[in-house]
Amino acid sequence: MFEPTIKDIAKICGVGVSTVSRAINNHPDINSETKEKIMNAIREYGYVPNDSARNLKRADAKAVAVLIKGIANPFFTNMITVIEQECKKRHYAMELSHIEADEDEVDVAQKVVKEKRLRGIIFLGGLFSHSEEKLKKLSVPFVFSTVGSIPENISKKQYSSISVDDRRESAKMVDYLIGLGHKQIAILVAEASEESVGKLRLEGYCDALKAHGIEVNTNLICQTEEALSHFSMENGYLSTKKLLERGETFTALYAVSDALAIGARRALYEAGLRVPEDVSLAGYDGLDMAEYSVPSLTTIRQPVEKMAKDTTKLLFDIISNKTKHQHVIYEAELLVRESTAKIPE
Amino acid sequence: MFEPTIKDIAKICGVGVSTVSRAINNHPDINSETKEKIMNAIREYGYVPNDSARNLKRADAKAVAVLIKGIANPFFTNMITVIEQECKKRHYAMELSHIEADEDEVDVAQKVVKEKRLRGIIFLGGLFSHSEEKLKKLSVPFVFSTVGSIPENISKKQYSSISVDDRRESAKMVDYLIGLGHKQIAILVAEASEESVGKLRLEGYCDALKAHGIEVNTNLICQTEEALSHFSMENGYLSTKKLLERGETFTALYAVSDALAIGARRALYEAGLRVPEDVSLAGYDGLDMAEYSVPSLTTIRQPVEKMAKDTTKLLFDIISNKTKHQHVIYEAELLVRESTAKIPE
DNA sequence: TTGTACGCGTTATCAT
DNA sequence: ATGATAACGCGTACAA
């Protein structure tokens, strides 16, 4: 199998390599006839420029990276799809990279940036707890999207972020449940370690309870220590089962993700508990599955599409120096559906 | 921001570039002391080799590509995760690329191969209908995994495939439903065009019906023409709604994917139909959501993990000339759960 | 408008 | 065991 290079094409057309290069890259200084001839040869011989050589030569590889922590979370699938479209629009390639639970995201980011010479990074999910010093090693702009929280001591001029206020939104949900008359509200929270969204949502839960003078009952805080994927249905199912086996009484169960809630719903069902008659159930994220489940799930919807679009736009604006780093917080929406109800008197 | 290159490291350590290269790549001919010194400098200055330069120099970029048609299908998420792990084990990078519905997969593949100089390709999902001639242009080995079908006229020596017999497995499900006493079985099939898995599963449906002497009622074949994602819950929901509005009578509904089934279940619920008392509901794929939904969904489970592992192994075996192209068909499993029941007499 | 020549960062070959 | 140097394929300054 013959793989032609730019030289071969040049030779075939009887022109210099720079002319071929100009033809490929739509440079202005080129005779349209020669360009035509070259493009024909390229098609005929199936020439495709070697990306490595291009990126080596170019200071900037037209590419950005998306680093995801927790790929199993279906919440991200939507975001990625949108981000990819947005990148394509701008003729940029998008490198997708998963970060394992035990990997350090900044290390990975640094490696990816140098390896691929890309122009920017989007961090998706996970949490963030790195020193400013380490952050400075990143030579390209980056934006955190839907990342739990970023320590206060890092200069906000160093990075951008797009997120919802997980703590406040979470409180919103618990507030709503309390308004329904619930006092014994259990919470299902996976991965409550460090500054994760899980922790934030748990804090919001406590906030709301306290605001209403309800004491936080630690027995109702159901944390999963398992090595299970943090936002899986399986995890929600098993954790809820354990909670029930412990014999705790509660009238509402709030899971910090829809997937967990779906799993929980199954566990409740198997225990003979009806939703919402016996137990009100609430989720968080606003995934499709929350909408189509039976009963449909009361949840907090994050404006996924808008966040994804704005994340991409922001990154590109920063790359092209159109704007400075920014910190945007979106409002999420409480979607009241069938899975929650007033507590019977 | 200073980005050291191999030359800088060499200069810093007072050695030649080749020595540094040897240190990086674990070459045998190197003094362990010098290696130590070099590795320290690399750490200290945060040197990361430039991938583009490496791939340019190396004949083979240690990388394979996974080309996915229909990223929205959650079925693939699991496969990708496994494939990625398997690649990592072998110290290969995995390029993930989505193929738009209207893109030609072979064209994309060819472009990716040349651009990235990679060693092999895995096609995930979609269907396949290309001329042998076109296929020959692909200079690296490739394996189709869970791809609908491949035309008979293409030499099986040209490619590998890993799949389940969608037609037969689909018939298995319908067979089971018929065994339950159902005669009026509706089918929900998105994307029945060409040789897709949708089409194959539809054929299996017809096979089973005919085998039992039941006439195929085209009114019960519910195809979605929408531009909706083929395997989305939304699609299942809307299509089922339309089916119900048409006033068709059926005692069982078979959706060719679990996601469609979940959507369908919601539509049935809203129409006041109980599952399985009024309508038996069945899916296909064996996703988590089928297991945790209420009622749990009778479905066909494809051995995802095994298929993903074997797909990767096969590709690498072919790359390293350990084996020839192969065609493996896996047995899927009928999972009988709560959503299907005997038809009441 | 077009062609020549150099260098991007790396690995491999060949001396030393 | 180590160092100098030639490629790899491309873009671009500079010369023509």
Side-chain angles (χ1 to χ4, degrees):
Chain A
M1 196 67 208
F2 170 59
E3 298 287 359
T5 73
I6 196 172
K7 278 185 196 163
D8 299 316
I9 299 296
K11 206 167 290 172
I12 288 164
C13 298
V15 300
V17 286
S18 41
T19 309
V20 178
S21 177
R22 277 188 271 265
I24 299 168
N25 300 298
N26 292 316
H27 274 262
D29 288 356
I30 187 169
N31 185 305
S32 60
E33 257 177 63
T34 28
K35 181 167 178 179
E36 185 77 16
K37 185 174 61 180
I38 291 168
M39 293 316 267
N40 281 334
I42 286 177
R43 246 189 306 279
E44 183 180 348
Y45 290 88
Y47 165 70
V48 178
N50 180 317
D51 226 29
S52 296
R54 281 187 142 165
N55 289 337
L56 183 57
K57 188 60 197 168
R58 287 209 260 254
D60 55 334
K62 291 186 63 155
V64 299
V66 177
L67 266 40
I68 310 168
K69 201 137 189 177
I71 177 68
N73 189 343
F75 177 71
F76 293 138
T77 314
N78 299 324
M79 293 213 58
I80 297 167
T81 311
V82 177
I83 292 175
E84 188 172 33
Q85 284 168 359
E86 294 295 307
C87 288
K88 218 170 228 171
K89 263 190 212 164
R90 296 168 169 87
H91 302 286
Y92 264 62
M94 183 190 92
E95 289 285 335
L96 202 56
S97 224
H98 301 163
I99 300 181
E100 306 289 329
D102 58 343
E103 279 180 312
D104 180 307
E105 39 240 296
V106 176
D107 286 351
V108 175
Q110 205 189 343
K111 184 152 175 288
V112 174
V113 167
K114 297 210 184 173
E115 273 182 5
K116 316 276 185 187
R117 290 282 187 103
L118 35 81
R119 311 277 313 263
I121 298 183
I122 293 172
F123 289 96
L124 226 50
L127 55 114
F128 208 75
S129 53
H130 293 280
S131 64
E132 182 149 8
E133 183 200 357
K134 201 164 188 184
L135 232 44
K136 275 192 181 153
K137 282 199 178 167
L138 250 33
S139 49
V140 298
F142 48 96
V143 10
F144 293 109
S145 190
T146 68
V147 169
S149 77
I150 296 113
E152 285 301 326
N153 59 349
I154 294 181
S155 164
K156 292 222 184 294
K157 292 188 180 164
Q158 296 255 347
Y159 67 95
S160 284
S161 68
I162 299 255
S163 58
V164 304
D165 185 335
D166 277 281
R167 186 167 178 164
R168 193 185 61 198
E169 301 299 341
S170 186
K172 200 193 275 179
M173 172 63 85
V174 177
D175 222 51
Y176 160 73
L177 291 172
I178 293 171
L180 250 28
H182 295 280
K183 288 192 167 48
Q184 294 170 301
I185 303 172
I187 182 169
L188 203 59
V189 49
E191 172 224 22
S193 59
E194 307 173 63
E195 294 299 320
S196 63
V197 288
K199 172 105 175 287
L200 292 172
R201 292 174 194 174
L202 175 58
E203 286 171 353
Y205 162 86
C206 295
D207 291 348
L209 250 37
K210 280 176 194 153
H212 289 271
I214 301 173
E215 205 180 332
V216 176
N217 178 352
T218 53
N219 290 327
L220 291 182
I221 299 177
C222 181
Q223 299 193 193
T224 63
E225 303 142 60
E226 333 253 347
L228 287 174
S229 164
H230 289 325
F231 293 95
S232 70
M233 302 179 216
E234 184 186 11
N235 201 348
Y237 173 73
L238 293 174
S239 303
T240 305
K241 220 167 162 177
K242 263 197 296 187
L243 181 70
L244 291 168
E245 279 165 7
R246 286 215 311 264
E248 305 294 342
T249 52
F250 52 91
T251 62
L253 176 55
Y254 164 44
V256 301
S257 87
D258 288 338
L260 286 175
I262 297 291
R265 192 262 180 281
R266 176 82 207 165
L268 293 171
Y269 171 78
E270 291 182 4
L273 268 46
R274 291 167 304 166
V275 174
E277 292 84 351
D278 301 320
V279 176
S280 278
L281 181 63
Y284 192 112
D285 275 345
L287 300 183
D288 269 8
M289 62 171 115
E291 182 175 354
Y292 293 105
S293 89
V294 175
S296 59
L297 197 63
T298 293
T299 190
I300 296 277
R301 174 165 57 205
Q302 308 193 55
V304 193
E305 182 145 345
K306 182 153 182 47
M307 289 172 78
K309 269 198 180 158
D310 291 0
T311 296
T312 321
K313 182 173 188 323
L314 183 53
L315 181 62
F316 280 108
D317 281 353
I318 294 167
I319 288 175
S320 57
N321 264 315
K322 269 194 217 146
T323 179
K324 284 272 161 204
H325 275 298
Q326 291 178 21
H327 299 269
V328 192
I329 292 181
Y330 288 89
E331 190 89 16
E333 187 185 357
L334 171 65
L335 295 178
V336 174
R337 296 204 273 231
E338 301 164 352
S339 67
T340 48
K342 268 208 169 133
I343 192 167
E345 305 305 318
Chain B
M1 195 68 210
F2 169 59
E3 298 287 358
T5 72
I6 196 172
K7 281 183 194 163
D8 299 316
I9 300 295
K11 207 166 288 174
I12 288 163
C13 297
V15 299
V17 284
S18 27
T19 308
V20 179
S21 177
R22 276 189 273 264
I24 299 169
N25 299 297
N26 291 316
H27 274 263
D29 288 357
I30 186 169
N31 185 306
S32 61
E33 259 178 60
T34 28
K35 181 168 178 177
E36 186 76 15
K37 185 174 61 182
I38 291 168
M39 292 317 267
N40 281 335
I42 286 177
R43 248 188 307 279
E44 184 180 347
Y45 291 87
Y47 163 70
V48 177
N50 181 316
D51 226 29
S52 295
R54 281 188 143 165
N55 289 337
L56 182 57
K57 187 57 197 166
R58 286 209 258 256
D60 55 333
K62 291 186 61 153
V64 298
V66 177
L67 267 40
I68 310 168
K69 200 133 189 181
I71 178 67
N73 188 346
F75 177 72
F76 293 138
T77 314
N78 298 325
M79 292 213 61
I80 297 167
T81 310
V82 177
I83 292 175
E84 188 171 34
Q85 284 169 0
E86 294 295 307
C87 289
K88 221 171 224 168
K89 263 190 211 165
R90 297 169 169 86
H91 303 287
Y92 264 63
M94 183 191 91
E95 289 285 336
L96 202 56
S97 226
H98 300 165
I99 300 183
E100 307 288 331
D102 57 344
E103 279 181 312
D104 180 307
E105 38 241 296
V106 176
D107 286 351
V108 175
Q110 204 190 344
K111 185 150 173 288
V112 174
V113 167
K114 297 209 182 172
E115 271 182 8
K116 316 277 185 186
R117 290 282 189 105
L118 34 81
R119 311 277 310 267
I121 298 183
I122 293 172
F123 288 96
L124 227 50
L127 55 114
F128 208 76
S129 53
H130 293 281
S131 63
E132 182 150 7
E133 184 201 356
K134 200 162 189 185
L135 232 45
K136 275 193 180 150
K137 281 200 179 167
L138 249 34
S139 50
V140 299
F142 48 97
V143 10
F144 294 109
S145 191
T146 68
V147 169
S149 77
I150 296 114
E152 286 299 326
N153 59 348
I154 294 179
S155 164
K156 292 221 185 296
K157 292 186 180 167
Q158 297 253 350
Y159 68 96
S160 283
S161 68
I162 300 253
S163 59
V164 303
D165 185 335
D166 277 282
R167 186 166 178 167
R168 193 185 61 199
E169 301 299 341
S170 186
K172 202 194 274 179
M173 173 62 86
V174 177
D175 221 50
Y176 160 74
L177 291 172
I178 294 171
L180 251 30
H182 295 280
K183 288 191 168 47
Q184 294 170 300
I185 304 172
I187 182 169
L188 205 59
V189 49
E191 174 224 20
S193 59
E194 306 174 64
E195 295 299 319
S196 64
V197 289
K199 172 105 173 287
L200 292 173
R201 292 174 194 174
L202 174 58
E203 286 170 353
Y205 162 86
C206 295
D207 291 348
L209 251 36
K210 280 175 196 154
H212 288 271
I214 299 173
E215 205 179 333
V216 176
N217 178 352
T218 53
N219 290 328
L220 291 182
I221 299 177
C222 181
Q223 300 194 192
T224 63
E225 303 142 61
E226 333 254 346
L228 287 174
S229 163
H230 289 326
F231 293 94
S232 71
M233 302 180 216
E234 185 186 11
N235 202 348
Y237 174 72
L238 293 175
S239 303
T240 305
K241 221 168 161 176
K242 262 196 293 183
L243 180 70
L244 291 167
E245 280 165 7
R246 283 215 313 263
E248 305 293 341
T249 52
F250 51 91
T251 61
L253 176 56
Y254 164 44
V256 301
S257 89
D258 287 340
L260 287 175
I262 297 293
R265 192 259 179 284
R266 176 82 207 164
L268 293 172
Y269 171 78
E270 291 183 3
L273 265 40
R274 292 167 304 165
V275 174
E277 293 84 350
D278 300 320
V279 176
S280 278
L281 181 63
Y284 193 112
D285 275 346
L287 301 182
D288 269 7
M289 63 169 111
E291 183 175 353
Y292 293 105
S293 88
V294 175
S296 59
L297 197 63
T298 293
T299 190
I300 297 278
R301 174 164 60 205
Q302 308 193 55
V304 192
E305 183 145 341
K306 183 153 181 48
M307 288 172 78
K309 270 197 180 159
D310 291 0
T311 295
T312 322
K313 182 172 188 320
L314 183 54
L315 181 61
F316 281 108
D317 281 352
I318 294 168
I319 288 175
S320 58
N321 264 314
K322 269 194 218 147
T323 180
K324 284 272 158 203
H325 275 299
Q326 290 177 21
H327 299 268
V328 192
I329 291 180
Y330 287 89
E331 190 88 14
E333 189 184 357
L334 171 66
L335 295 177
V336 174
R337 296 204 274 231
E338 300 165 353
S339 67
T340 47
K342 269 208 168 128
I343 192 168
E345 304 307 316

